[in-house]
Every structure is written in structure tokens, then in C-alpha cells.
Amino acid sequence: MATAPKVSKTDGKNNHDAADEQADKEQQEAIEQIDEVQNEIDKLNENASEEILKVEQKYNTLRQPYFKKRSDLIAKIPNFWVTAFVNHPQVSALLNEDDEEALQYLTKVEVQEFEDIKSGYRINFYFDKNPYFTNDMLTKEFHLNDTGDPSSESTAIKWNEGKDLTKKTNNGKQGKKRSHEDQESFFSWFGDHGDAGADELGEVIKDDIWPNPLQYYLASEIDEETGGDGG
Amino acid sequence: MATAPKVSKTDGKNNHDAADEQADKEQQEAIEQIDEVQNEIDKLNENASEEILKVEQKYNTLRQPYFKKRSDLIAKIPNFWVTAFVNHPQVSALLNEDDEEALQYLTKVEVQEFEDIKSGYRINFYFDKNPYFTNDMLTKEFHLNDTGDPSSESTAIKWNEGKDLTKKTNNGKQGKKRSHEDQESFFSWFGDHGDAGADELGEVIKDDIWPNPLQYYLASEIDEETGGDGG
Ligand SMILES: [Ca+2]
Ligand SMILES: [Ca+2]
Ligand SMILES: [Mg+2]
Ligand SMILES: [Mg+2]
């Protein structure tokens, strides 16, 4: 333990008599005792964190069968996920027209938090056979290592020839009008590991869409009624 | 429940045959079932929040005797709190010289989180008899009401004549040099209810100093050794 700091303002004397020494000693003892009490408080805080983690893990497990059932039901609804994404303002802003077409083959989304929760999560995207790439699943995974440094990794997308949506010049489709010719593709996100500690799209899917995707799927109704394209 | 949104992109036909109707009906049923599953997930989420709150409350209670013991020990150390505050960069920035003198009479600080935690907290400041004001306790309290709106209230400070540190022109003390003549007083914070939802000083005391005030008290040592005023 460190010794007590001098409190010069309230003690202008430079001589150090016996009474002073006794007071210094008592203060030093008090500091050591505070330090011991603080260790007890720190232990309680650690126990509290562990218990809260166990509650979170218990409920993560309890939620799984409902997520499974929800995925099975969602699979019965064509274009569920692309509709939910298009209706989510932040995700929608990341989608160009080609992305929206490719995402019509997205049949299932899964968010998996790792067992100790604080260490990271993974998002799995399952695709039907499609003209764009040969993978049937794309995944992006976010980790915090032991020292708290974030990193991410993801599936390499096996694009079909001329179909790589992340390469603007390869988009092909001559004659098709595109209003946002130079907009980056949603699929570029899989290869972007620049901000793994605060991946905006990853966190929107995990924290906003995954807890209740139905509300975004259904939001299109409102759009159709108030806006509407008259087609 | 709302009905399924039309998925016009994948269904260009306008005629609505029997097979279409059957498919629409099945999708509508799936949506209703997703809604039911979602209600179950929502219930689990509420239960999880309640259990986590109970863990937090249990540990809040378990910590109390240690906080009490710590306060008793801190009371044996003259100028503990003013030293901790001066050594905390954010709090220190709010203290002028008069504040530091008045805070030498601060003997005890208490942070109390309300039983349901999310609804707010109170900070109590206990003072020895002092030349500045007659209160022996000043408190500031932060609430979130049922609709989530924040508010704060605090003790009215009963300043002695000519001692009101929140009124610059009343500071008195002619002939005393003040390097920051027009700096606002720490004590103005008690009367400032403008940002109750994110009170910076309140949150620094609650979340940063209160969990371990000793580390800030002791930080002065380091300052003295590396800096030092040579007096
Ligand atoms: Ca002395
Ligand atoms: Ca039809
Ligand atoms: Mg699903
Ligand atoms: Mg105390």
C-alpha cells in the first residue's frame, strides 16, 4: 500500500512531533483498511457480474427453441428477410438494387452470441441456390480477445463469373437503369474488418432486427398505404 | 394482426387464382404464428430483465455494510474527499479555489441507487460545521419517471451572509488572489437541473469515484513526486 498523501494546506508546520506521528500512523492504518474493504467490494462486483452472466446464458438457452420455431415459420414466407432489411432505415441505406435482388435468395438469418456473451457473436446468412455466388451460407463473426481487442472474420464469397456485386465495374447487366451507380454493395460488409469493435450493420442486425424481425417485415404495409408507387 | 405485405417484385401477375389464395392464406397463418412466438420471446426477455434486476439488488444490499465500513474509515482521514475530487481530472476542472476550501469540510459522501435501480439515484454530501453554509448535508437526486423523463432535485444551500460561492460578486475575500476569477462554482451544480438525464458530475461520482474513491485519494502521491511545487 502507498502511504498517505501530505495534506499541506491544513498543516503549515514543518516540525513533526509525536502527536503528528501518531496521527500519521492512524491515517496510514485507515488507508490500509480502506484498501482491504475495497478488495471485498471488488470481489462482490465480480460475483455480481458472474451471476448476471449466468442469467443471460440461461435465457439465451431458453430463447433458442423459439428462435428455431421462428426461423421455420419465416422460411414459409417468400422474401421475408429482404423485406425486413428494405424496411429497416439503416440497413436499407446499405442496399443497392442488385443487393436487393440477391437478398431475395436469403432464407434464414441466425444470430449466435458466444457462450460467455462478452467475447462476441456470429451472424449466419443462409441462401437458396442463386445466380450470384455458390456459397449456401455466409457468416461474419466478431470476437473480443483476452485483452479486449476486437476482430472480425467472415466467409469468402465465391462469386459466379461477372456476378461479384462488390466490384462495381463487374456488375454487368447492360441496359439496366441504376439510380445509385456507385453505391457500395451490402456484400462488401463481409470483407470489411476495419471497425470490428463497433460494426454498425452487425450491431443493427443483432440488437435491433434479430429481437423482432417481424415488425420490420410488416412495416412495408404502412409504406404501401401511405406512400405507394401506383404501379 | 396485420396482413402479409404484397411481394410485388416476385409476382408480376394480377390475376389471383386458387393456388395464390392458398399461398396467401398460409403466409398469413405463418405471420400470425411468428407473432405468437415473438410474444413468447418478449416474455422471456422481460423475465430475464427481472432476474438481472434482482441480482443487482441483492448485490447492492450485500455491498452496503462495506460502504458503511469504508465511510467510517474515510472519516478518520482529514481532507479525504476534497483530495479525491482534486485528483479526479473531470471533477477538478469544476473546482475553483473557494470550492476547494469549502470541500475541506466534506466528511462523507453517499451514493444511493433507488431500489429498482433504473429509476434513479441520490448523492448525499455530509459537511462539518463550516463558515460557508449552515446545512450539514447537501443532496442531489436524479429520477426517471414512469414515462422515462429525467428530472433532478436538490437541497437549497443556506449560505452564510456574503459566503455564497455561486454568486461571483459576493465572494468577498478582498485581497485574495484568484487565478480563475470567473470560474463557476462546484456548488452551482446543486441548482443546475438542466441536464438531469445525463448529469456529468453526478455520473462521474456515481460510476467512477464511488466504486473506488481510494485510488483518486492516493493519486495525489504520484502528482507530488513527479510534479511537486517545491514549497
Ligand atoms: Ca506535521
Ligand atoms: Ca398473385
Ligand atoms: Mg430465421
Ligand atoms: Mg464515505
Side-chain angles (χ1 to χ4, degrees):
Chain A
M1 272 300 301
T3 54
K6 280 168 272 178
V7 186
S8 52
K9 275 192 181 176
T10 55
D11 183 4
K13 295 175 292 181
N14 279 321
N15 57 321
H16 210 73
D17 59 25
D20 278 340
E21 270 185 34
Q22 180 60 22
D24 286 355
K25 203 179 153 229
E26 278 170 19
Q27 286 180 35
Q28 184 56 31
E29 279 169 12
I31 288 174
E32 281 164 21
Q33 287 166 353
I34 293 170
D35 190 54
E36 284 161 25
V37 172
Q38 196 63 54
N39 289 339
E40 297 297 320
I41 294 170
D42 293 347
K43 257 183 246 167
L44 284 174
N45 293 343
E46 281 166 33
N47 292 350
S49 298
E50 276 170 31
E51 273 188 44
I52 287 168
L53 181 63
K54 274 185 196 142
V55 173
E56 286 172 346
Q57 286 169 339
K58 182 180 86 177
Y59 279 94
N60 264 1
T61 303
L62 288 172
R63 278 184 283 252
Q64 290 316 310
Y66 295 99
F67 287 144
K68 170 76 175 68
K69 201 174 171 190
R70 191 178 73 182
S71 279
D72 292 345
L73 292 163
I74 284 175
K76 296 185 181 180
I77 303 172
N79 292 299
F80 181 93
W81 284 109
V82 68
T83 306
F85 283 0
V86 165
N87 288 336
H88 190 288
Q90 281 164 279
V91 180
S92 182
L94 302 173
L95 305 178
N96 63 42
E97 286 183 29
D98 291 325
D99 292 334
E100 287 185 33
E101 285 190 29
L103 287 171
Q104 293 188 15
Y105 299 90
L106 174 60
T107 55
K108 186 163 102 168
V109 173
E110 265 176 358
V111 173
Q112 300 174 323
E113 295 197 81
F114 298 153
E115 179 66 3
D116 54 357
I117 294 171
K118 280 159 196 69
S119 74
Y121 63 101
R122 174 178 20 232
I123 310 179
N124 299 324
F125 302 80
Y126 295 83
F127 287 85
D128 268 345
K129 196 167 157 42
N130 68 73
Y132 297 92
F133 44 79
T134 59
N135 316 61
D136 51 15
M137 203 259 273
L138 300 179
T139 190
K140 191 168 179 183
E141 195 171 311
F142 300 89
H143 292 280
L144 277 187
N145 70 11
D146 291 344
T147 60
D149 293 323
S151 65
S152 61
E153 40 192 290
S154 62
T155 317
I157 306 177
K158 294 172 198 151
W159 294 105
N160 289 325
E161 179 141 9
K163 289 294 196 175
D164 187 342
L165 299 179
T166 68
K167 293 185 181 162
K168 287 167 242 160
T169 51
N170 281 358
N171 276 344
K173 298 220 177 185
Q174 281 100 0
K176 189 187 166 206
K177 257 198 283 183
R178 291 195 55 200
S179 49
H180 303 285
E181 190 68 47
D182 54 359
Q183 192 186 345
E184 211 189 9
S185 167
F186 169 85
F187 292 93
S188 301
W189 172 71
F190 288 95
D192 175 10
H193 304 287
D195 203 6
D199 189 288
E200 201 186 331
L201 180 56
E203 288 176 9
V204 162
I205 293 174
K206 175 170 72 79
D207 297 327
D208 197 13
I209 296 181
W210 181 248
N212 189 343
L214 184 61
Q215 66 177 321
Y216 292 105
Y217 175 73
L218 292 174
S220 61
E221 284 246 298
I222 301 157
D223 290 350
E224 280 185 66
E225 276 160 25
T226 58
D229 58 10
Chain B
M1 273 300 302
T3 55
K6 280 168 271 176
V7 186
S8 51
K9 276 191 180 176
T10 55
D11 183 5
K13 297 175 290 184
N14 280 320
N15 57 321
H16 209 75
D17 59 25
D20 278 340
E21 269 183 36
Q22 181 59 22
D24 286 354
K25 201 178 154 232
E26 278 169 18
Q27 287 180 35
Q28 184 58 30
E29 280 169 10
I31 289 173
E32 281 163 23
Q33 286 165 353
I34 293 171
D35 191 53
E36 283 161 26
V37 171
Q38 196 64 53
N39 289 339
E40 298 297 321
I41 294 170
D42 293 348
K43 258 183 244 165
L44 284 175
N45 293 343
E46 281 165 34
N47 293 350
S49 299
E50 276 170 32
E51 272 188 46
I52 287 168
L53 182 62
K54 274 186 195 139
V55 173
E56 286 172 346
Q57 286 169 338
K58 182 179 86 177
Y59 279 94
N60 264 2
T61 303
L62 288 172
R63 278 185 284 252
Q64 290 317 309
Y66 294 99
F67 287 145
K68 170 79 174 67
K69 200 172 171 190
R70 191 177 73 181
S71 279
D72 292 345
L73 292 163
I74 285 174
K76 294 184 182 181
I77 302 173
N79 293 299
F80 181 94
W81 284 109
V82 67
T83 306
F85 284 0
V86 165
N87 288 336
H88 190 287
Q90 281 164 280
V91 180
S92 183
L94 302 172
L95 306 178
N96 63 42
E97 287 184 27
D98 291 326
D99 292 334
E100 287 187 33
E101 285 189 30
L103 287 171
Q104 294 190 13
Y105 299 92
L106 174 61
T107 56
K108 187 164 103 170
V109 172
E110 265 176 0
V111 173
Q112 300 174 325
E113 295 197 81
F114 298 152
E115 178 66 2
D116 54 358
I117 295 170
K118 281 161 195 65
S119 74
Y121 64 99
R122 174 179 20 233
I123 309 179
N124 299 324
F125 303 81
Y126 295 84
F127 287 86
D128 269 344
K129 194 168 158 43
N130 69 72
Y132 297 92
F133 46 78
T134 60
N135 317 60
D136 51 15
M137 202 258 272
L138 299 178
T139 190
K140 191 168 181 183
E141 197 172 309
F142 300 89
H143 292 280
L144 278 187
N145 70 13
D146 291 345
T147 59
D149 293 323
S151 65
S152 60
E153 41 191 290
S154 61
T155 316
I157 305 177
K158 295 174 196 151
W159 295 104
N160 288 325
E161 179 140 9
K163 289 293 197 174
D164 187 341
L165 299 179
T166 68
K167 293 185 179 159
K168 287 168 243 160
T169 51
N170 280 358
N171 276 344
K173 299 219 179 184
Q174 282 99 1
K176 190 189 164 203
K177 258 198 282 183
R178 291 196 53 199
S179 48
H180 302 287
E181 189 69 45
D182 55 358
Q183 192 186 344
E184 211 189 8
S185 166
F186 169 85
F187 292 93
S188 302
W189 172 70
F190 288 96
D192 175 10
H193 303 289
D195 202 6
D199 189 289
E200 200 187 333
L201 179 56
E203 288 176 10
V204 162
I205 293 174
K206 174 169 74 75
D207 297 328
D208 196 13
I209 297 181
W210 181 248
N212 189 343
L214 183 62
Q215 64 176 322
Y216 292 106
Y217 175 72
L218 292 175
S220 61
E221 285 244 299
I222 303 156
D223 290 350
E224 279 184 65
E225 276 159 24
T226 57
D229 58 11

